[in-house]
Amino acid sequence: MNIKAQALFDDTAITGARAFGGPDVTSSAMKTAIREWFNLFFMRVPEREEDPAQRIPCAIIGRLVKACFAEYDSSFNSVPAPGSKADWMNVARKAIDAVKLDALQWAMVGGECFIKPAPDGTGGLAYQVVRRDCYNVLARGPGGITDVLLCERNHIGGRFFTLLERRSVDRRGYLTIQNKLYLSNTPTTLEYEIPLDSLPQYAALAPEHTYSVPFGGLGMAYVRMPMANTVDGSPDGVSIYESAVQLIHNIYKNEYQLGREFELGRSRIIVGADKLITPDPEGGVMRLKDDVFVGLDGETSGAGIDIFSPVLRDESFERRKQGYLKACENVIGLKRGLLSDVEATERTAKGITSSEGDYSLSIIDLQRMWYNALSETLRISDLWGQTLGFCSSQAVDIEHLLSVNWGNGILYDDAKSWQETLEMVQSGILKPELALAKKFDLPCETPEDLEKIRAKYMPEAVPI
């Protein structure tokens, strides 16, 4: 089992109740499910008569992540002036994009995650993805999680140093962070509390601090899968493969049985044991050892040679895997072709985003989830920048500043979309200003916005 998962969800080990006096509000059913999701994802060694060689969770996550970010690009609509607030935000945007793969992957595995900003020592922010098996939810409010306990463990010199960081927000939106460092000889216990400066990376941390700027949250971006909780109906997010957990176990059991069938059914030649004895060059006799020949002990005089070669079920590994992935698509609710038959299935943007077919989750949902996470992380980064003195308090409209392009991939054909927009302009059912606003992702809500588009992009009519 993953050490952090075992520690965080074992009532005899690291718990919010023991460290800070706040019990974990996550239900026992959800704790069990979270363990199961991460165990399946990390499972490499056969256990309980299951063979995980197919690595189904890894295949699901890997293909969805690649499809989501295949041609992804983010930028700001205008080039920020050097040293400006927008320039600082643009550096933060690039740093957030650097962890996008990790964020999406761990959100799909654990159902949710946090993107945590922290000072990088150079006047900017670094970002860390906090997996679901690395924090306990201690309280929830109408707006989401209001109290959380984060865990970070270091293994140094045969001993374990565990940093527990509690973040809580009050009704006025003010954030309080508490830190405690523990030393133990095993990874599943806390044992002794020690000073924070016992490790150099934690020396600058305060045991407790309440920030004067109202964050309105935990100072981290919360990323949650856009799926209903099918474990206990709580607000907790669920893994992308939660509904396929039992199917994955059945697949692994089937693979184990097929492997055993091939192992036990390999061709062998059965002969009398006396036929496997040969003179030893140094004297005496020597028994031959060979996994092809099997010797029968006992009275074997007159026994001949029998060849054991049963008929085995022969099915292509790739064809079998495609069948597994199709089954996972059906159970999870994914459009056919997102996981299976990648090369054989023509996956057009219309085919995947269409409402036709029996499915409930598409790549568009994952892309929308990441866009919201990116926007929220930028908003929180702005607050941290102001609080830590990294940037000015100048207001920034992130919605108008940020531009995300998903490319001409399977979900969006830019050239075709632009051609369709031009046809609407030519037929008189769409204003040219709105078409240009869509093309270059420009604001177009007010008459002033439209006037700026006309002045910058539309040539003046020359009388003939």
Side-chain angles (χ1 to χ4, degrees):
M1 177 183 289
N2 177 270
I3 291 178
K4 290 184 177 179
Q6 182 180 11
L8 283 172
F9 296 130
D10 186 345
D11 291 336
T12 63
I14 300 175
T15 63
R18 176 174 178 179
F20 290 99
D24 191 339
V25 299
T26 306
S27 69
S28 58
M30 275 301 302
K31 292 178 183 179
T32 301
I34 293 169
R35 289 193 197 99
E36 186 69 25
W37 302 334
F38 281 93
N39 286 341
L40 280 175
F41 187 77
F42 290 117
M43 187 176 179
R44 299 175 63 238
V45 180
E47 58 183 53
R48 300 190 306 273
E49 297 187 351
E50 295 185 5
D51 184 357
Q54 295 276 359
R55 302 299 297 273
I56 298 297
C58 296
I60 294 173
I61 300 297
R63 294 192 181 189
L64 291 179
V65 168
K66 290 178 181 178
C68 187
F69 291 122
E71 299 183 43
Y72 167 87
D73 180 56
S74 73
S75 61
F76 281 175
N77 287 315
S78 58
V79 179
S84 65
K85 170 71 171 288
D87 186 42
W88 186 87
M89 294 287 290
N90 195 36
V91 174
R93 175 195 59 79
K94 294 178 182 178
I96 298 169
D97 269 351
V99 300
K100 65 180 183 297
L101 298 179
D102 283 345
L104 182 60
Q105 170 177 294
W106 295 124
M108 286 195 288
V109 173
E112 60 185 52
C113 69
F114 283 106
I115 301 178
K116 174 186 173 183
D120 63 359
T122 63
L125 296 173
Y127 298 88
Q128 175 188 1
V129 178
V130 185
R131 298 179 346 204
R132 183 60 182 93
D133 62 336
C134 296
Y135 63 86
N136 295 83
V137 178
L138 304 184
R140 290 183 181 272
I145 300 174
T146 59
D147 199 345
V148 67
L149 179 66
L150 311 180
C151 170
E152 182 176 315
R153 178 171 290 113
N154 299 272
H155 188 197
I156 303 174
R159 297 185 298 176
F160 296 89
F161 295 82
T162 304
L163 176 70
L164 294 184
E165 176 186 330
R166 182 178 184 178
R167 294 187 174 216
S168 57
V169 58
D170 61 21
R171 294 182 179 180
R172 299 178 300 164
Y174 289 92
L175 171 66
T176 298
I177 298 180
Q178 301 169 270
N179 295 288
K180 292 184 178 182
L181 183 61
Y182 289 86
L183 172 64
S184 61
N185 294 311
T186 64
T188 57
T189 56
L190 291 178
E191 296 187 12
Y192 313 106
E193 184 177 357
I194 59 176
L196 289 168
D197 58 6
S198 299
L199 291 182
Q201 61 264 43
Y202 303 138
L205 296 179
E208 182 173 348
H209 182 74
T210 300
Y211 291 90
S212 58
V213 175
F215 278 80
L218 298 172
M220 304 182 292
Y222 178 61
V223 185
R224 182 187 183 278
M225 288 298 296
M227 302 160 57
N229 187 315
T230 56
V231 176
D232 63 354
S234 69
D236 292 291
V238 295
S239 172
I240 185 74
Y241 51 82
E242 155 56 27
S243 55
V245 165
Q246 190 56 53
L247 173 63
I248 293 172
H249 280 297
N250 291 342
I251 291 172
Y252 287 174
K253 289 178 181 178
N254 186 47
E255 286 297 296
Y256 175 82
Q257 292 171 356
L258 286 174
R260 290 285 292 168
E261 179 178 328
F262 276 84
E263 178 183 356
L264 299 176
R266 68 184 187 275
S267 295
R268 282 165 288 181
I269 300 176
I270 302 173
V271 299
D274 58 318
K275 293 185 172 62
L276 299 180
I277 297 177
T278 184
D280 192 325
E282 298 180 0
V285 295
M286 179 175 62
R287 180 179 293 272
L288 296 177
K289 295 183 178 180
D290 195 310
D291 62 352
V292 175
F293 292 91
V294 177
L296 297 178
D297 294 324
E299 178 58 36
T300 58
S301 58
I305 298 177
D306 294 326
I307 298 178
F308 176 73
S309 182
V311 178
L312 302 176
R313 292 177 293 167
D314 182 17
E315 186 176 4
S316 166
F317 178 88
E318 180 61 26
R319 185 166 65 251
R320 202 164 66 243
K321 187 166 187 176
Q322 289 299 324
Y324 294 154
L325 293 177
K326 288 178 181 178
C328 290
E329 287 171 340
N330 292 335
V331 174
I332 295 173
L334 294 173
K335 187 71 174 180
R336 178 59 58 84
L338 280 180
L339 301 178
S340 63
D341 295 330
V342 178
E343 298 179 358
T345 304
E346 182 180 357
R347 300 180 298 163
T348 64
K350 180 179 179 181
I352 290 182
T353 61
S354 169
S355 61
E356 299 174 0
D358 183 18
Y359 71 103
S360 59
L361 183 68
S362 70
I363 299 297
I364 288 287
D365 297 310
L366 299 177
Q367 291 177 336
R368 186 178 296 112
M369 180 187 75
W370 172 249
Y371 178 83
N372 293 336
L374 175 59
S375 301
E376 177 65 7
T377 309
L378 282 173
R379 184 193 70 81
I380 294 173
S381 299
D382 185 11
L383 292 174
W384 276 116
Q386 296 178 44
T387 302
L388 301 175
F390 293 162
C391 66
S392 68
S393 58
Q394 176 188 358
V396 174
D397 192 339
I398 296 175
E399 189 67 27
H400 286 173
L401 190 63
L402 180 63
S403 174
V404 173
N405 182 10
W406 299 104
N408 298 328
I410 61 175
L411 298 173
Y412 183 70
D413 188 334
D414 186 65
K416 183 178 180 180
S417 177
W418 177 240
Q419 183 60 38
E420 293 174 349
T421 302
L422 287 180
E423 291 175 359
M424 288 191 289
V425 172
Q426 293 168 357
S427 62
I429 61 176
L430 181 67
K431 292 182 179 180
E433 295 90 337
L434 297 179
L436 290 169
K438 177 183 177 183
K439 175 69 174 179
F440 298 105
D441 198 13
L442 301 172
C444 57
E445 302 296 331
T446 64
E448 291 76 14
D449 293 335
L450 298 179
E451 180 59 35
K452 290 180 181 179
I453 294 175
R454 285 192 291 270
K456 185 174 182 180
Y457 293 97
M458 298 177 65
E460 297 182 2
V462 179
I464 299 177

